[in-house]
Amino acid sequence: MRVILIGPPGVGKGTQAALIGSRKGVQTLSSGEIFRREIEAQTDLGRLAQRYISHGELVPNGVTIEMMAKRLRESEVRKHGFILDGFPRTVKQADALNEILFDMEMPLQKVFWLQAPDELIVSRLSGRLGCTKCGAIYHSVNKPPTREGFCDVCNSPIVVRSDDQPETIRERLRVFRESTAPVIEYYKDLGLLVAVDATRDAEEVYKEIIRETD
Ligand code: AP5
Ligand code: MG
């Protein structure tokens, strides 16, 4: 499988990437999650990324492309393919990805555009909880953990993401419309885009994506 999940913040990209990755044995590459790990480990890249992420802005293209190129060239990706979650997010990143995949002789199969109205997105993000260690995603109402405050997968504490504050969510939605909407047009023009109604239950959304890729 060689697919991209694209869509506004909170639409369910990470949730679908985790479902597909675990059930189909495909490598999930989530740029946001990789940045969060770097922040947690207090690396130079993490410190740089944090300055942008905390305001809902995009991390500069140069470092983002370099980081994702390195991950894409890992052997697991060459063997089993990839699910890209949150990358590319600008036309410049999409151009860079084309070059990387051309070199690797791994052409994209499909780009799934997950769609949901802003009100639903805000309600999903305002209840979201994430594991500090493995990145598993929960929701206080839709998907609560079995033991309150702790991850079902690795038992680590689960917390509200620091960029899930109302003001930052609004800014992320604005940045999505400004910088990422043109990427959707880009893949539409290449004939790779598949629109998915992401307002439905996560299992329904998953089934549709799998139907389109099998
Ligand atoms: P990133 O981590 O990618 O954040 P995002 O795009 O804002 O998207 P989210 O992770 O918030 O939402 P999601 O679509 O994954 O939804 P989720 O599955 O969690 O990026 C964070 C930041 O990093 C960016 O702002 C930027 O600064 C930087 N960055 C990342 N990539 C970059 C790039 N390429 N270039 C530059 N900068 C970059 O679901 C949300 C909630 O809804 C959860 O609680 C979940 O349980 C629930 N839910 C999901 N699906 C359903 C469903 N079907 N029904 C009911 N509830 C659901
Ligand atoms: Mg995510």
Side-chain angles (χ1 to χ4, degrees):
M1 190 184 282
R2 300 177 305 279
V3 302
I4 294 175
L5 304 179
I6 199 165
V11 75
K13 304 179 296 295
T15 298
Q16 292 303 321
L19 283 177
I20 305 166
S22 64
R23 293 178 186 177
K24 297 286 175 184
V26 187
Q27 187 73 17
T28 301
L29 297 174
S30 160
S31 44
E33 196 51 42
I34 299 171
F35 283 134
R36 283 186 284 281
R37 298 275 166 96
E38 296 283 338
I39 292 169
E40 187 83 12
Q42 301 186 355
T43 63
D44 288 346
L45 175 58
R47 271 187 284 273
L48 175 90
Q50 171 72 0
R51 297 214 298 268
Y52 297 90
I53 293 176
S54 61
H55 298 293
E57 306 297 334
L58 294 183
V59 179
N61 282 325
V63 285
T64 304
I65 291 167
E66 195 186 324
M67 174 181 89
M68 296 306 285
K70 198 169 133 214
R71 299 293 179 121
L72 277 160
R73 293 194 179 106
E74 285 173 0
S75 61
E76 277 304 295
V77 173
R78 287 186 194 272
K79 247 188 269 166
H80 303 295
F82 56 82
I83 307 156
L84 282 168
D85 156 23
F87 179 87
R89 250 175 160 94
T90 63
V91 169
K92 202 154 189 160
Q93 292 179 13
D95 281 337
L97 178 66
N98 268 351
E99 279 183 35
I100 297 163
L101 296 181
F102 181 80
D103 283 349
M104 293 174 71
E105 297 180 29
M106 292 187 85
L108 268 178
Q109 282 176 307
K110 299 239 158 109
V111 176
F112 293 100
W113 173 22
L114 274 53
Q115 299 175 311
D118 283 5
E119 313 86 75
L120 187 62
I121 282 169
V122 171
S123 90
R124 284 185 182 175
L125 286 181
S126 49
R128 175 167 60 186
L129 297 161
C131 176
T132 45
K133 191 161 177 221
C134 74
I137 303 163
Y138 299 90
H139 189 279
S140 53
V141 179
N142 305 338
K143 196 181 178 249
T146 313
R147 185 157 77 103
E148 202 183 325
F150 294 92
C151 179
D152 291 352
V153 183
C154 71
N155 223 15
S156 301
I158 55 172
V159 295
V160 173
R161 242 169 71 178
S162 63
D163 58 345
D164 278 349
Q165 304 304 326
E167 200 182 313
T168 324
I169 293 172
R170 269 197 300 279
E171 180 58 10
R172 282 156 60 202
L173 281 165
R174 190 194 67 74
V175 168
F176 170 76
R177 291 197 182 93
E178 183 180 278
S179 304
T180 309
V183 182
I184 292 172
E185 285 303 308
Y186 179 104
Y187 287 119
K188 192 174 177 190
D189 291 346
L190 290 176
L192 293 171
L193 197 70
V194 180
V196 176
D197 171 7
T199 62
R200 296 166 298 166
D201 180 72
E203 285 295 332
E204 293 296 309
V205 177
Y206 169 79
K207 276 188 206 140
E208 183 174 339
I209 294 174
I210 293 306
R211 226 183 1 255
E212 291 280 347
T213 41
D214 273 353

